[in-house]
Amino acid sequence: MAEEKTKLIGEVDQAQIDKWKADPKCLGVVGIIVGGHIAYVKRPDRNVVSYALSQMSFSMTPSNDSLEQAKIEMSLGKMYKQGEAVLVHCWLGGSEEIRSNNKLWTGACMKAGELVEYEEAELKNF
């Protein structure tokens, strides 16, 4: 007997996802699931990443030993703002209740911030 999949509130069919993906400005579609609801966002482009990172601030406590051992702190409020930037600027569709329910919105913002990705770089003197 096959298990029936529980449909999330705001869930769309594959045809809609394919339509979003067909847009040349869309870098990919990601679903953010929170409290039985789903929001669909496109992966953030450079402009959104730049804006999201501008919402961040860090405090760093230097270590006597080395920069690598320094303590870096980031507040949850700043993480929220980063995710909010992604949700606001990359929203494609899904449950509108996520936008109107503070608890769902907060959970979605905290998860959306993880979409701001980057590769670790290094500097080399010549």
Side-chain angles (χ1 to χ4, degrees):
M1 184 176 196
E3 257 185 65
E4 191 173 313
K5 182 182 162 200
T6 303
K7 188 169 173 128
L8 297 165
I9 298 167
E11 191 170 352
V12 300
D13 60 15
Q14 188 61 45
Q16 178 60 57
I17 294 169
D18 292 341
K19 185 176 177 183
W20 286 327
K21 285 181 171 181
D23 182 344
K25 294 180 183 177
C26 183
L27 304 175
V29 176
V30 177
I32 300 171
I33 300 168
V34 57
H37 296 256
I38 187 166
Y40 296 92
V41 295
K42 60 184 177 180
R43 289 198 170 274
D45 62 17
R46 287 183 183 176
N47 292 329
V48 174
V49 169
S50 175
Y51 178 73
L53 290 175
S54 76
Q55 302 303 300
M56 303 293 291
S57 67
F58 298 90
S59 67
M60 189 165 115
T61 307
S63 168
N64 291 334
D65 297 329
S66 70
L67 186 60
E68 287 83 22
Q69 294 177 354
K71 182 179 176 188
I72 298 176
E73 296 177 5
M74 180 175 59
S75 74
L76 287 176
K78 298 298 181 183
M79 290 172 61
Y80 172 91
K81 293 298 282 181
Q82 181 176 338
E84 184 177 47
V86 172
L87 277 182
V88 167
H89 295 286
C90 298
W91 183 275
L92 293 170
S95 173
E96 286 297 320
E97 192 170 339
I98 292 174
R99 290 178 158 184
S100 62
N101 179 307
N102 286 338
K103 191 174 178 181
L104 295 175
W105 180 254
T106 300
C109 285
M110 298 305 284
K111 189 51 75 176
E114 295 177 20
L115 292 173
V116 177
E117 301 173 319
Y118 60 92
E119 277 293 323
E120 191 66 36
E122 62 182 72
L123 297 173
K124 182 171 180 158
N125 291 322
F126 293 97

